[in-house]
Amino acid sequence: MTSTPRILGAFGILLILVLIGGWFWKQAGDEARLSIERHNNEAGDASDRARSDFDVCPHGLWDFGAEKCVGAAAGGGD
């Protein structure tokens, strides 16, 4: 008869630990997804900027190795 409260107490503690562990697991998953999404957004923005730089460079003046326009500055000059 005295073992029943101990078993229930142990089960309760175990249940609380499992719930806390599940909450931490969910939080870690949310943070990982947000980190990946943030990284993807930054990569997309960098790609858009690079494409825009390439588009405004006069034909034949783009240096693919340096990833920049080697001619006159776009929009500059007279």
Side-chain angles (χ1 to χ4, degrees):
M1 198 67 161
T2 60
S3 64
T4 303
R6 288 182 183 169
I7 292 172
L8 291 175
F11 180 73
I13 292 172
L14 182 63
L15 181 63
I16 290 170
L17 290 175
V18 167
L19 290 174
I20 291 172
W23 181 77
F24 278 125
W25 185 272
K26 182 183 179 306
Q27 292 299 105
D30 290 345
E31 185 63 33
R33 281 188 293 279
L34 288 175
S35 174
I36 291 168
E37 183 178 348
R38 196 173 306 118
H39 182 75
N40 286 344
N41 289 341
E42 290 172 4
D45 292 344
S47 175
D48 290 342
R49 282 190 302 275
R51 178 62 189 202
S52 177
D53 291 345
F54 176 79
D55 287 344
V56 297
C57 185
H59 181 69
L61 297 178
W62 185 258
D63 182 357
F64 288 95
E67 297 180 354
K68 65 180 182 179
C69 190
V70 294
D78 30 31

